[in-house]
Every structure is written in structure tokens, then in C-alpha cells.
Amino acid sequence: MAVVEAWHLYKSFENQANVLNDVSMYVNEGEVVAIIGPSGSGKSTLLRCLNQLIDVDSGVIRVCGQMMVDTDENGRARYANKAELHQIQLKTGMVFQSFHLFPHFSVLRNITEAPVQILKMPKEEAEQRAMALLGKMNLADKAEAYPYQLSGGQAQRVSIARALALSPAVLFFDEPTSALDPELTVEILKVIKELAQENMTMVVVTHEMNFAREVADRVLFMDEGIIQAEGSPEEIFTNPANERIRQFIGHFSME
């Protein structure tokens, strides 16, 4: 079953035409899809369109079979009503490269705020779930800490726990290790690998080629607003048919 479906997405900005240029993709339940490509290729824009952070100009997006946006007879995007969009948004979680934690909330409250305020979950239940997630992230001792007291790797693990607290059907990662040094990068990649082993549906925009090769079920290669190729990690990294992919991968050590 496809958790996310996107067909013929177009998006341009005032100073950039065709940031997304007829992009179609899907993500099946339990699948890990890695999106790779050079800077400015449209990877993060695609992720943000799937998560309602940016509106598409036209195209179709469904999440868990529910229509988020389609295209009207004039070729313009037509979004679902506010209530439906809210329901769809609860099915997705987003982990940003810059953490986006609330600085004035403790770690525990950062994780419980959305379940309590949005899902109307009892505070005690939300805190029990948050502590279980912090234990999973090896951060149970940081529940009362504030974001400024955390390392980058710890802050990113808290942001992952916060995204998981709403039990999303799919988790989006926008270059989750780009703000971290190599040692902390290993911490975060380990967490994502563990989630993959638990069959969490994930879409990961990443510049970590070895991680994409090791963890992803499918890899999409984007360049100039187009998905230039997609396939298994072996097809993309071991024997790429596309010369542009060979050039791109050649810049990375694939040990």
C-alpha cells in the first residue's frame, strides 16, 4: 500500500522557475526512500511540499489514500479543506536539519506539547509515551533539560522523538545530519537505521551516500527539479545507467 503518492508536481518560486518539474514518486508502507542529488536540485522543496510546508503550483498528492491536493480544470493546485489538511498532517512527521525545538520548553515538554494540545491526549499518558521515546533515544536522563543544554546529536534525537510522539504513518527527514559533526552524525544514522528495522515508513533527503546505500529500499536521484533516476541502492550506486549519477557519486567515497 502506498502511504504517499505524488504525481506531476510542479513548483516554481519568483526567482526560480521549475524547482519541481513534473515530479512523480510514491512511498510504500514500511519502505525507506532516500532522495539524493546536488544542492539546489529540488530535494528539500519536494519534501516540504509533501509535508504541507510549501504549496505546489499543480499536481496530485495523496497521503494514506486521502487527497491532499489535486489540480483543477485551469491547471492550478486545489487543496483539501482545512480540516482534511489537518487530519493529513497528523499522519506525517518532519525532522529538520536545524532541530526546531522550542527553546523555552524542557525536552519532555517539547515532546508532549503536540500530543496534549493537538491530540488532546491526557498529560500523564503523553509523558509516559515521551519517556518511552526518550529511553529509545538513550536520552531518558535529559527529560528536564532544555535545548541549550543538549549537544547537536542529542537535540536531533529529541526532534526525532517529538516527531514520533504523534505516531505518524510516515516520517520525513530533511538532511538530518547536515548540521552535525561526523561523530554525532553516526548517532543519528544509527537511530534512523533502528527505525528502518522496525518498518517505519520514511523518506530521507540525505547527502550521506553510504547510509542511503545501506538503509534505503529505493533511492531517488534528483537534479534540476527532475527525478533523473530511481532504483534499488545497487542499481543507483553500483551500476548507475545515468552518466549524471556516475558524476555525482564519483565525488563521494563509497567504501
Side-chain angles (χ1 to χ4, degrees):
M1 171 189 168
V3 176
V4 177
E5 302 170 82
W7 306 107
H8 308 297
L9 300 185
Y10 287 85
K11 178 63 184 177
S12 60
F13 296 105
E14 195 170 312
N15 58 344
Q16 287 178 286
N18 295 328
V19 177
L20 298 180
N21 188 8
D22 197 15
V23 169
S24 297
M25 55 88 72
Y26 64 93
V27 187
N28 287 325
E29 186 175 4
E31 189 177 34
V32 180
V33 174
I35 305 177
I36 64 171
S39 297
S41 59
K43 308 183 300 296
S44 292
T45 298
L46 173 59
L47 214 60
R48 287 166 182 263
C49 288
L50 297 176
N51 201 41
Q52 300 186 42
L53 295 173
I54 297 175
D55 288 347
V56 296
D57 297 331
S58 63
V60 174
I61 300 173
R62 292 188 189 91
V63 177
C64 297
Q66 194 169 357
M67 185 72 74
M68 184 172 106
V69 58
D70 63 0
T71 302
D72 66 19
E73 59 276 5
N74 297 314
R76 291 192 293 266
R78 176 173 53 197
Y79 276 80
N81 63 48
K82 188 174 181 179
E84 289 176 317
L85 291 177
H86 179 67
Q87 289 179 352
I88 292 169
Q89 195 159 46
L90 291 177
K91 296 171 183 174
T92 68
M94 185 81 166
V95 178
F96 300 90
Q97 54 185 289
S98 53
F99 320 140
H100 286 202
L101 298 176
F102 296 114
H104 56 296
F105 286 174
S106 68
V107 164
L108 185 64
R109 189 171 174 190
N110 261 284
I111 298 170
T112 60
E113 187 71 1
V116 170
Q117 298 298 327
I118 297 173
L119 298 184
K120 306 305 178 185
M121 185 182 292
K123 184 179 178 182
E124 184 177 347
E125 182 183 344
E127 289 183 349
Q128 288 175 350
R129 176 160 175 75
M131 289 306 300
L133 287 167
L134 285 173
K136 187 184 182 75
M137 301 293 161
N138 294 318
L139 289 173
D141 61 332
K142 298 294 184 182
E144 299 305 323
Y146 284 80
Y148 77 90
Q149 296 171 308
L150 304 176
S151 70
Q154 289 170 337
Q156 191 61 291
R157 280 182 281 157
V158 171
S159 70
I160 294 171
R162 182 177 62 178
L164 290 170
L166 291 172
S167 300
V170 57
L171 202 53
F172 298 118
F173 291 85
D174 187 8
E175 298 198 7
T177 62
S178 65
L180 306 177
D181 64 36
E183 187 174 3
L184 298 179
T185 291
V186 171
E187 287 182 16
I188 302 307
L189 297 183
K190 181 175 180 288
V191 170
I192 299 174
K193 287 178 186 177
E194 289 171 353
L195 291 173
Q197 290 167 359
E198 296 170 6
N199 294 318
M200 182 74 204
T201 306
M202 294 183 283
V203 182
V204 186
V205 169
T206 183
H207 59 274
E208 298 287 341
M209 297 300 109
N210 285 315
F211 168 77
R213 183 172 67 174
E214 182 180 344
V215 176
D217 298 297
R218 277 188 300 121
V219 179
L220 310 183
F221 174 76
M222 288 191 71
D223 192 20
E224 298 181 340
I226 298 170
I227 296 177
Q228 302 276 359
E230 70 173 288
S232 68
E234 183 177 2
E235 290 170 324
I236 296 297
F237 293 114
T238 305
N239 190 30
N242 185 306
E243 174 61 27
R244 180 67 186 94
I245 301 176
R246 286 196 290 270
Q247 292 174 353
F248 177 75
I249 291 173
H251 294 296
F252 297 88
S253 171
M254 299 294 293
E255 298 175 357

mmCIF file of all heavy atoms in Angstrom, residues 58-105:
data_model
loop_
_atom_site.group_PDB
_atom_site.id
_atom_site.type_symbol
_atom_site.label_atom_id
_atom_site.label_comp_id
_atom_site.label_asym_id
_atom_site.label_seq_id
_atom_site.Cartn_x
_atom_site.Cartn_y
_atom_site.Cartn_z
ATOM 1 N N SER A 58 0.890 22.899 -9.118
ATOM 2 C CA SER A 58 -0.071 21.938 -9.655
ATOM 3 C C SER A 58 0.444 20.530 -9.386
ATOM 4 O O SER A 58 1.621 20.332 -9.070
ATOM 5 C CB SER A 58 -0.286 22.145 -11.166
ATOM 6 O OG SER A 58 0.925 21.904 -11.876
ATOM 7 N N GLY A 59 -0.459 19.560 -9.507
ATOM 8 C CA GLY A 59 -0.095 18.173 -9.269
ATOM 9 C C GLY A 59 -1.063 17.516 -8.300
ATOM 10 O O GLY A 59 -2.069 18.113 -7.896
ATOM 11 N N VAL A 60 -0.766 16.286 -7.948
ATOM 12 C CA VAL A 60 -1.618 15.499 -7.061
ATOM 13 C C VAL A 60 -0.764 14.918 -5.947
ATOM 14 O O VAL A 60 0.312 14.380 -6.205
ATOM 15 C CB VAL A 60 -2.306 14.345 -7.827
ATOM 16 C CG1 VAL A 60 -3.077 13.433 -6.870
ATOM 17 C CG2 VAL A 60 -3.236 14.889 -8.902
ATOM 18 N N ILE A 61 -1.235 15.038 -4.694
ATOM 19 C CA ILE A 61 -0.585 14.395 -3.552
ATOM 20 C C ILE A 61 -1.657 13.701 -2.722
ATOM 21 O O ILE A 61 -2.665 14.311 -2.355
ATOM 22 C CB ILE A 61 0.179 15.387 -2.656
ATOM 23 C CG1 ILE A 61 1.277 16.113 -3.449
ATOM 24 C CG2 ILE A 61 0.808 14.657 -1.459
ATOM 25 C CD1 ILE A 61 1.973 17.235 -2.659
ATOM 26 N N ARG A 62 -1.441 12.404 -2.438
ATOM 27 C CA ARG A 62 -2.294 11.656 -1.522
ATOM 28 C C ARG A 62 -1.439 11.119 -0.386
ATOM 29 O O ARG A 62 -0.308 10.661 -0.621
ATOM 30 C CB ARG A 62 -2.972 10.474 -2.220
ATOM 31 C CG ARG A 62 -4.006 10.831 -3.271
ATOM 32 C CD ARG A 62 -4.747 9.589 -3.745
ATOM 33 N NE ARG A 62 -5.602 9.858 -4.887
ATOM 34 C CZ ARG A 62 -5.192 9.735 -6.159
ATOM 35 N NH1 ARG A 62 -3.956 9.335 -6.412
ATOM 36 N NH2 ARG A 62 -6.028 9.998 -7.143
ATOM 37 N N VAL A 63 -1.975 11.141 0.813
ATOM 38 C CA VAL A 63 -1.309 10.575 1.990
ATOM 39 C C VAL A 63 -2.276 9.583 2.624
ATOM 40 O O VAL A 63 -3.397 9.946 2.981
ATOM 41 C CB VAL A 63 -0.902 11.660 2.999
ATOM 42 C CG1 VAL A 63 -0.271 11.029 4.244
ATOM 43 C CG2 VAL A 63 0.075 12.649 2.363
ATOM 44 N N CYS A 64 -1.849 8.326 2.724
ATOM 45 C CA CYS A 64 -2.714 7.256 3.258
ATOM 46 C C CYS A 64 -4.043 7.215 2.514
ATOM 47 O O CYS A 64 -5.103 6.998 3.115
ATOM 48 C CB CYS A 64 -2.924 7.429 4.747
ATOM 49 S SG CYS A 64 -1.415 7.300 5.727
ATOM 50 N N GLY A 65 -3.997 7.434 1.211
ATOM 51 C CA GLY A 65 -5.191 7.378 0.380
ATOM 52 C C GLY A 65 -6.050 8.623 0.418
ATOM 53 O O GLY A 65 -7.039 8.721 -0.325
ATOM 54 N N GLN A 66 -5.709 9.582 1.253
ATOM 55 C CA GLN A 66 -6.514 10.795 1.404
ATOM 56 C C GLN A 66 -5.948 11.909 0.528
ATOM 57 O O GLN A 66 -4.744 12.199 0.565
ATOM 58 C CB GLN A 66 -6.519 11.214 2.876
ATOM 59 C CG GLN A 66 -7.570 12.248 3.230
ATOM 60 C CD GLN A 66 -7.713 12.425 4.740
ATOM 61 O OE1 GLN A 66 -7.070 11.736 5.519
ATOM 62 N NE2 GLN A 66 -8.558 13.358 5.154
ATOM 63 N N MET A 67 -6.815 12.519 -0.260
ATOM 64 C CA MET A 67 -6.364 13.552 -1.197
ATOM 65 C C MET A 67 -5.970 14.828 -0.462
ATOM 66 O O MET A 67 -6.784 15.433 0.225
ATOM 67 C CB MET A 67 -7.482 13.865 -2.199
ATOM 68 C CG MET A 67 -7.067 14.843 -3.287
ATOM 69 S SD MET A 67 -5.923 14.092 -4.489
ATOM 70 C CE MET A 67 -7.060 13.035 -5.402
ATOM 71 N N MET A 68 -4.717 15.221 -0.614
ATOM 72 C CA MET A 68 -4.241 16.468 -0.034
ATOM 73 C C MET A 68 -4.392 17.607 -1.033
ATOM 74 O O MET A 68 -4.830 18.709 -0.690
ATOM 75 C CB MET A 68 -2.770 16.324 0.379
ATOM 76 C CG MET A 68 -2.176 17.512 1.088
ATOM 77 S SD MET A 68 -0.529 17.078 1.704
ATOM 78 C CE MET A 68 0.486 17.967 0.542
ATOM 79 N N VAL A 69 -4.036 17.345 -2.274
ATOM 80 C CA VAL A 69 -4.135 18.363 -3.324
ATOM 81 C C VAL A 69 -4.301 17.667 -4.669
ATOM 82 O O VAL A 69 -3.729 16.595 -4.904
ATOM 83 C CB VAL A 69 -2.882 19.282 -3.326
ATOM 84 C CG1 VAL A 69 -1.601 18.505 -3.532
ATOM 85 C CG2 VAL A 69 -3.001 20.384 -4.379
ATOM 86 N N ASP A 70 -5.129 18.259 -5.524
ATOM 87 C CA ASP A 70 -5.189 17.838 -6.919
ATOM 88 C C ASP A 70 -5.167 19.091 -7.785
ATOM 89 O O ASP A 70 -4.881 20.184 -7.285
ATOM 90 C CB ASP A 70 -6.399 16.938 -7.200
ATOM 91 C CG ASP A 70 -7.735 17.653 -6.974
ATOM 92 O OD1 ASP A 70 -7.722 18.848 -6.602
ATOM 93 O OD2 ASP A 70 -8.780 17.012 -7.158
ATOM 94 N N THR A 71 -5.458 18.958 -9.044
ATOM 95 C CA THR A 71 -5.339 20.085 -9.972
ATOM 96 C C THR A 71 -6.684 20.360 -10.626
ATOM 97 O O THR A 71 -7.354 19.425 -11.098
ATOM 98 C CB THR A 71 -4.275 19.783 -11.049
ATOM 99 O OG1 THR A 71 -3.032 19.514 -10.395
ATOM 100 C CG2 THR A 71 -4.089 20.957 -11.990
ATOM 101 N N ASP A 72 -7.087 21.615 -10.643
ATOM 102 C CA ASP A 72 -8.395 21.954 -11.213
ATOM 103 C C ASP A 72 -8.331 22.042 -12.730
ATOM 104 O O ASP A 72 -7.274 21.828 -13.348
ATOM 105 C CB ASP A 72 -8.948 23.244 -10.589
ATOM 106 C CG ASP A 72 -8.132 24.486 -10.930
ATOM 107 O OD1 ASP A 72 -7.355 24.461 -11.905
ATOM 108 O OD2 ASP A 72 -8.275 25.508 -10.213
ATOM 109 N N GLU A 73 -9.482 22.356 -13.339
ATOM 110 C CA GLU A 73 -9.569 22.381 -14.806
ATOM 111 C C GLU A 73 -8.713 23.478 -15.425
ATOM 112 O O GLU A 73 -8.433 23.452 -16.634
ATOM 113 C CB GLU A 73 -11.036 22.548 -15.239
ATOM 114 C CG GLU A 73 -11.718 23.806 -14.731
ATOM 115 C CD GLU A 73 -12.286 23.649 -13.315
ATOM 116 O OE1 GLU A 73 -12.062 22.602 -12.690
ATOM 117 O OE2 GLU A 73 -12.959 24.589 -12.848
ATOM 118 N N ASN A 74 -8.273 24.443 -14.619
ATOM 119 C CA ASN A 74 -7.403 25.509 -15.124
ATOM 120 C C ASN A 74 -5.925 25.212 -14.906
ATOM 121 O O ASN A 74 -5.073 26.060 -15.159
ATOM 122 C CB ASN A 74 -7.758 26.835 -14.440
ATOM 123 C CG ASN A 74 -9.171 27.292 -14.762
ATOM 124 O OD1 ASN A 74 -9.580 27.265 -15.922
ATOM 125 N ND2 ASN A 74 -9.926 27.693 -13.743
ATOM 126 N N GLY A 75 -5.627 24.010 -14.398
ATOM 127 C CA GLY A 75 -4.237 23.609 -14.204
ATOM 128 C C GLY A 75 -3.616 24.142 -12.931
ATOM 129 O O GLY A 75 -2.391 24.141 -12.799
ATOM 130 N N ARG A 76 -4.454 24.569 -11.970
ATOM 131 C CA ARG A 76 -3.938 25.106 -10.717
ATOM 132 C C ARG A 76 -4.208 24.144 -9.563
ATOM 133 O O ARG A 76 -5.203 23.421 -9.554
ATOM 134 C CB ARG A 76 -4.573 26.469 -10.414
ATOM 135 C CG ARG A 76 -4.121 27.576 -11.368
ATOM 136 C CD ARG A 76 -4.547 28.943 -10.847
ATOM 137 N NE ARG A 76 -5.994 29.084 -10.864
ATOM 138 C CZ ARG A 76 -6.675 29.635 -11.873
ATOM 139 N NH1 ARG A 76 -6.027 30.081 -12.935
ATOM 140 N NH2 ARG A 76 -8.004 29.743 -11.804
ATOM 141 N N ALA A 77 -3.330 24.190 -8.578
ATOM 142 C CA ALA A 77 -3.468 23.313 -7.416
ATOM 143 C C ALA A 77 -4.753 23.625 -6.655
ATOM 144 O O ALA A 77 -5.106 24.789 -6.469
ATOM 145 C CB ALA A 77 -2.262 23.473 -6.502
ATOM 146 N N ARG A 78 -5.441 22.551 -6.225
ATOM 147 C CA ARG A 78 -6.680 22.691 -5.460
ATOM 148 C C ARG A 78 -6.526 21.837 -4.192
ATOM 149 O O ARG A 78 -6.550 20.607 -4.257
ATOM 150 C CB ARG A 78 -7.867 22.221 -6.294
ATOM 151 C CG ARG A 78 -9.215 22.226 -5.587
ATOM 152 C CD ARG A 78 -10.318 21.894 -6.572
ATOM 153 N NE ARG A 78 -10.041 20.656 -7.287
ATOM 154 C CZ ARG A 78 -10.651 20.277 -8.418
ATOM 155 N NH1 ARG A 78 -11.555 21.056 -8.968
ATOM 156 N NH2 ARG A 78 -10.346 19.133 -9.006
ATOM 157 N N TYR A 79 -6.346 22.512 -3.069
ATOM 158 C CA TYR A 79 -6.092 21.811 -1.807
ATOM 159 C C TYR A 79 -7.392 21.412 -1.112
ATOM 160 O O TYR A 79 -8.440 22.038 -1.305
ATOM 161 C CB TYR A 79 -5.245 22.681 -0.870
ATOM 162 C CG TYR A 79 -3.762 22.573 -1.155
ATOM 163 C CD1 TYR A 79 -3.181 23.280 -2.196
ATOM 164 C CD2 TYR A 79 -2.952 21.723 -0.401
ATOM 165 C CE1 TYR A 79 -1.827 23.159 -2.475
ATOM 166 C CE2 TYR A 79 -1.608 21.596 -0.671
ATOM 167 C CZ TYR A 79 -1.044 22.315 -1.709
ATOM 168 O OH TYR A 79 0.302 22.180 -1.996
ATOM 169 N N ALA A 80 -7.308 20.359 -0.318
ATOM 170 C CA ALA A 80 -8.434 19.932 0.504
ATOM 171 C C ALA A 80 -8.763 21.020 1.526
ATOM 172 O O ALA A 80 -7.994 21.976 1.714
ATOM 173 C CB ALA A 80 -8.089 18.617 1.207
ATOM 174 N N ASN A 81 -9.912 20.890 2.184
ATOM 175 C CA ASN A 81 -10.282 21.902 3.162
ATOM 176 C C ASN A 81 -9.386 21.815 4.400
ATOM 177 O O ASN A 81 -8.644 20.849 4.587
ATOM 178 C CB ASN A 81 -11.766 21.798 3.539
ATOM 179 C CG ASN A 81 -12.119 20.481 4.216
ATOM 180 O OD1 ASN A 81 -11.441 20.042 5.134
ATOM 181 N ND2 ASN A 81 -13.194 19.848 3.761
ATOM 182 N N LYS A 82 -9.484 22.822 5.226
ATOM 183 C CA LYS A 82 -8.574 22.962 6.369
ATOM 184 C C LYS A 82 -8.639 21.760 7.303
ATOM 185 O O LYS A 82 -7.606 21.278 7.797
ATOM 186 C CB LYS A 82 -8.911 24.254 7.123
ATOM 187 C CG LYS A 82 -7.924 24.627 8.207
ATOM 188 C CD LYS A 82 -8.261 25.987 8.798
ATOM 189 C CE LYS A 82 -7.261 26.382 9.881
ATOM 190 N NZ LYS A 82 -7.580 27.718 10.451
ATOM 191 N N ALA A 83 -9.838 21.262 7.569
ATOM 192 C CA ALA A 83 -9.988 20.118 8.480
ATOM 193 C C ALA A 83 -9.322 18.874 7.918
ATOM 194 O O ALA A 83 -8.642 18.127 8.642
ATOM 195 C CB ALA A 83 -11.470 19.855 8.748
ATOM 196 N N GLU A 84 -9.498 18.636 6.620
ATOM 197 C CA GLU A 84 -8.879 17.462 5.991
ATOM 198 C C GLU A 84 -7.362 17.592 5.970
ATOM 199 O O GLU A 84 -6.643 16.611 6.205
ATOM 200 C CB GLU A 84 -9.426 17.291 4.572
ATOM 201 C CG GLU A 84 -10.867 16.832 4.528
ATOM 202 C CD GLU A 84 -11.412 16.770 3.118
ATOM 203 O OE1 GLU A 84 -11.142 17.705 2.329
ATOM 204 O OE2 GLU A 84 -12.118 15.808 2.802
ATOM 205 N N LEU A 85 -6.866 18.794 5.691
ATOM 206 C CA LEU A 85 -5.423 19.010 5.683
ATOM 207 C C LEU A 85 -4.830 18.770 7.065
ATOM 208 O O LEU A 85 -3.728 18.220 7.191
ATOM 209 C CB LEU A 85 -5.089 20.428 5.200
ATOM 210 C CG LEU A 85 -5.371 20.713 3.721
ATOM 211 C CD1 LEU A 85 -5.064 22.168 3.396
ATOM 212 C CD2 LEU A 85 -4.546 19.787 2.815
ATOM 213 N N HIS A 86 -5.557 19.153 8.093
ATOM 214 C CA HIS A 86 -5.090 18.922 9.466
ATOM 215 C C HIS A 86 -5.014 17.421 9.751
ATOM 216 O O HIS A 86 -4.035 16.944 10.332
ATOM 217 C CB HIS A 86 -6.031 19.607 10.450
ATOM 218 C CG HIS A 86 -5.651 19.404 11.891
ATOM 219 N ND1 HIS A 86 -4.505 19.938 12.442
ATOM 220 C CD2 HIS A 86 -6.250 18.697 12.885
ATOM 221 C CE1 HIS A 86 -4.419 19.584 13.715
ATOM 222 N NE2 HIS A 86 -5.456 18.826 14.002
ATOM 223 N N GLN A 87 -6.021 16.669 9.333
ATOM 224 C CA GLN A 87 -6.017 15.220 9.513
ATOM 225 C C GLN A 87 -4.823 14.586 8.800
ATOM 226 O O GLN A 87 -4.152 13.700 9.338
ATOM 227 C CB GLN A 87 -7.308 14.606 8.972
ATOM 228 C CG GLN A 87 -8.540 14.900 9.802
ATOM 229 C CD GLN A 87 -9.787 14.276 9.201
ATOM 230 O OE1 GLN A 87 -9.758 13.743 8.092
ATOM 231 N NE2 GLN A 87 -10.890 14.353 9.927
ATOM 232 N N ILE A 88 -4.568 15.045 7.588
ATOM 233 C CA ILE A 88 -3.455 14.502 6.809
ATOM 234 C C ILE A 88 -2.124 14.840 7.475
ATOM 235 O O ILE A 88 -1.221 14.004 7.554
ATOM 236 C CB ILE A 88 -3.491 15.049 5.365
ATOM 237 C CG1 ILE A 88 -4.710 14.484 4.620
ATOM 238 C CG2 ILE A 88 -2.199 14.711 4.613
ATOM 239 C CD1 ILE A 88 -4.984 15.145 3.286
ATOM 240 N N GLN A 89 -2.013 16.063 7.982
ATOM 241 C CA GLN A 89 -0.755 16.485 8.594
ATOM 242 C C GLN A 89 -0.417 15.641 9.816
ATOM 243 O O GLN A 89 0.763 15.398 10.109
ATOM 244 C CB GLN A 89 -0.815 17.964 8.958
ATOM 245 C CG GLN A 89 0.555 18.561 9.254
ATOM 246 C CD GLN A 89 0.554 20.066 9.100
ATOM 247 O OE1 GLN A 89 -0.345 20.740 9.585
ATOM 248 N NE2 GLN A 89 1.555 20.609 8.426
ATOM 249 N N LEU A 90 -1.425 15.167 10.528
ATOM 250 C CA LEU A 90 -1.184 14.325 11.693
ATOM 251 C C LEU A 90 -0.599 12.967 11.300
ATOM 252 O O LEU A 90 -0.045 12.259 12.146
ATOM 253 C CB LEU A 90 -2.492 14.115 12.472
ATOM 254 C CG LEU A 90 -3.056 15.347 13.184
ATOM 255 C CD1 LEU A 90 -4.379 15.005 13.850
ATOM 256 C CD2 LEU A 90 -2.066 15.885 14.210
ATOM 257 N N LYS A 91 -0.707 12.623 10.024
ATOM 258 C CA LYS A 91 -0.181 11.332 9.554
ATOM 259 C C LYS A 91 1.271 11.434 9.114
ATOM 260 O O LYS A 91 1.880 10.429 8.737
ATOM 261 C CB LYS A 91 -1.045 10.815 8.401
ATOM 262 C CG LYS A 91 -2.474 10.509 8.822
ATOM 263 C CD LYS A 91 -3.365 10.199 7.636
ATOM 264 C CE LYS A 91 -4.799 9.964 8.104
ATOM 265 N NZ LYS A 91 -5.746 9.801 6.988
ATOM 266 N N THR A 92 1.819 12.654 9.139
ATOM 267 C CA THR A 92 3.206 12.861 8.719
ATOM 268 C C THR A 92 4.004 13.497 9.850
ATOM 269 O O THR A 92 3.477 14.282 10.632
ATOM 270 C CB THR A 92 3.283 13.765 7.472
ATOM 271 O OG1 THR A 92 2.869 15.094 7.815
ATOM 272 C CG2 THR A 92 2.424 13.232 6.341
ATOM 273 N N GLY A 93 5.270 13.133 9.932
ATOM 274 C CA GLY A 93 6.189 13.760 10.874
ATOM 275 C C GLY A 93 7.388 14.294 10.123
ATOM 276 O O GLY A 93 7.777 13.735 9.096
ATOM 277 N N MET A 94 7.960 15.390 10.611
ATOM 278 C CA MET A 94 9.081 16.033 9.915
ATOM 279 C C MET A 94 10.228 16.263 10.881
ATOM 280 O O MET A 94 10.032 16.793 11.983
ATOM 281 C CB MET A 94 8.624 17.372 9.315
ATOM 282 C CG MET A 94 9.671 18.075 8.479
ATOM 283 S SD MET A 94 9.753 17.408 6.805
ATOM 284 C CE MET A 94 10.714 18.690 5.984
ATOM 285 N N VAL A 95 11.422 15.865 10.466
ATOM 286 C CA VAL A 95 12.638 16.119 11.235
ATOM 287 C C VAL A 95 13.532 17.018 10.382
ATOM 288 O O VAL A 95 13.913 16.656 9.275
ATOM 289 C CB VAL A 95 13.374 14.810 11.588
ATOM 290 C CG1 VAL A 95 14.669 15.104 12.341
ATOM 291 C CG2 VAL A 95 12.465 13.892 12.419
ATOM 292 N N PHE A 96 13.827 18.203 10.928
ATOM 293 C CA PHE A 96 14.579 19.207 10.178
ATOM 294 C C PHE A 96 16.068 19.123 10.489
ATOM 295 O O PHE A 96 16.478 18.590 11.523
ATOM 296 C CB PHE A 96 14.087 20.616 10.538
ATOM 297 C CG PHE A 96 12.642 20.855 10.239
ATOM 298 C CD1 PHE A 96 11.660 20.583 11.185
ATOM 299 C CD2 PHE A 96 12.246 21.365 9.013
ATOM 300 C CE1 PHE A 96 10.317 20.811 10.919
ATOM 301 C CE2 PHE A 96 10.912 21.596 8.727
ATOM 302 C CZ PHE A 96 9.931 21.316 9.690
ATOM 303 N N GLN A 97 16.880 19.707 9.625
ATOM 304 C CA GLN A 97 18.324 19.694 9.860
ATOM 305 C C GLN A 97 18.710 20.596 11.021
ATOM 306 O O GLN A 97 19.721 20.372 11.687
ATOM 307 C CB GLN A 97 19.078 20.096 8.592
ATOM 308 C CG GLN A 97 18.665 21.397 7.965
ATOM 309 C CD GLN A 97 19.392 21.651 6.652
ATOM 310 O OE1 GLN A 97 20.592 21.930 6.651
ATOM 311 N NE2 GLN A 97 18.699 21.544 5.544
ATOM 312 N N SER A 98 17.887 21.607 11.330
ATOM 313 C CA SER A 98 18.234 22.552 12.396
ATOM 314 C C SER A 98 17.390 22.359 13.653
ATOM 315 O O SER A 98 17.216 23.286 14.441
ATOM 316 C CB SER A 98 18.096 23.990 11.882
ATOM 317 O OG SER A 98 16.819 24.199 11.318
ATOM 318 N N PHE A 99 16.828 21.160 13.833
ATOM 319 C CA PHE A 99 16.166 20.701 15.064
ATOM 320 C C PHE A 99 14.796 21.330 15.321
ATOM 321 O O PHE A 99 13.839 20.622 15.580
ATOM 322 C CB PHE A 99 17.059 20.887 16.299
ATOM 323 C CG PHE A 99 18.511 20.578 16.093
ATOM 324 C CD1 PHE A 99 19.493 21.370 16.665
ATOM 325 C CD2 PHE A 99 18.922 19.500 15.307
ATOM 326 C CE1 PHE A 99 20.838 21.101 16.477
ATOM 327 C CE2 PHE A 99 20.274 19.214 15.112
ATOM 328 C CZ PHE A 99 21.224 20.019 15.688
ATOM 329 N N HIS A 100 14.705 22.681 15.323
ATOM 330 C CA HIS A 100 13.429 23.384 15.522
ATOM 331 C C HIS A 100 12.766 23.036 16.855
ATOM 332 O O HIS A 100 11.539 22.958 16.941
ATOM 333 C CB HIS A 100 12.460 23.081 14.362
ATOM 334 C CG HIS A 100 12.809 23.788 13.097
ATOM 335 N ND1 HIS A 100 11.903 24.022 12.098
ATOM 336 C CD2 HIS A 100 13.979 24.301 12.639
ATOM 337 C CE1 HIS A 100 12.479 24.643 11.094
ATOM 338 N NE2 HIS A 100 13.747 24.827 11.416
ATOM 339 N N LEU A 101 13.553 22.845 17.896
ATOM 340 C CA LEU A 101 12.982 22.633 19.223
ATOM 341 C C LEU A 101 12.565 23.972 19.831
ATOM 342 O O LEU A 101 13.157 25.010 19.524
ATOM 343 C CB LEU A 101 14.004 21.952 20.139
ATOM 344 C CG LEU A 101 14.469 20.547 19.708
ATOM 345 C CD1 LEU A 101 15.542 20.038 20.658
ATOM 346 C CD2 LEU A 101 13.301 19.572 19.649
ATOM 347 N N PHE A 102 11.561 23.949 20.710
ATOM 348 C CA PHE A 102 11.152 25.163 21.410
ATOM 349 C C PHE A 102 12.172 25.442 22.516
ATOM 350 O O PHE A 102 12.295 24.658 23.463
ATOM 351 C CB PHE A 102 9.767 24.997 22.021
ATOM 352 C CG PHE A 102 8.677 24.793 21.005
ATOM 353 C CD1 PHE A 102 7.983 23.596 20.942
ATOM 354 C CD2 PHE A 102 8.344 25.800 20.118
ATOM 355 C CE1 PHE A 102 6.971 23.407 20.009
ATOM 356 C CE2 PHE A 102 7.337 25.626 19.178
ATOM 357 C CZ PHE A 102 6.652 24.411 19.123
ATOM 358 N N PRO A 103 12.909 26.554 22.452
ATOM 359 C CA PRO A 103 13.993 26.782 23.410
ATOM 360 C C PRO A 103 13.527 26.995 24.847
ATOM 361 O O PRO A 103 14.268 26.719 25.785
ATOM 362 C CB PRO A 103 14.677 28.048 22.867
ATOM 363 C CG PRO A 103 13.640 28.733 22.049
ATOM 364 C CD PRO A 103 12.811 27.637 21.450
ATOM 365 N N HIS A 104 12.278 27.456 25.025
ATOM 366 C CA HIS A 104 11.769 27.754 26.363
ATOM 367 C C HIS A 104 11.020 26.577 26.981
ATOM 368 O O HIS A 104 10.482 26.699 28.077
ATOM 369 C CB HIS A 104 10.862 28.990 26.315
ATOM 370 C CG HIS A 104 9.717 28.865 25.349
ATOM 371 N ND1 HIS A 104 9.911 28.737 23.992
ATOM 372 C CD2 HIS A 104 8.366 28.833 25.541
ATOM 373 C CE1 HIS A 104 8.739 28.636 23.391
ATOM 374 N NE2 HIS A 104 7.793 28.683 24.305
ATOM 375 N N PHE A 105 10.984 25.437 26.281
ATOM 376 C CA PHE A 105 10.360 24.229 26.817
ATOM 377 C C PHE A 105 11.439 23.219 27.179
ATOM 378 O O PHE A 105 12.467 23.121 26.491
ATOM 379 C CB PHE A 105 9.430 23.580 25.791
ATOM 380 C CG PHE A 105 8.130 24.295 25.555
ATOM 381 C CD1 PHE A 105 7.273 23.866 24.547
ATOM 382 C CD2 PHE A 105 7.743 25.387 26.330
ATOM 383 C CE1 PHE A 105 6.070 24.510 24.311
ATOM 384 C CE2 PHE A 105 6.538 26.034 26.094
ATOM 385 C CZ PHE A 105 5.699 25.595 25.079
#
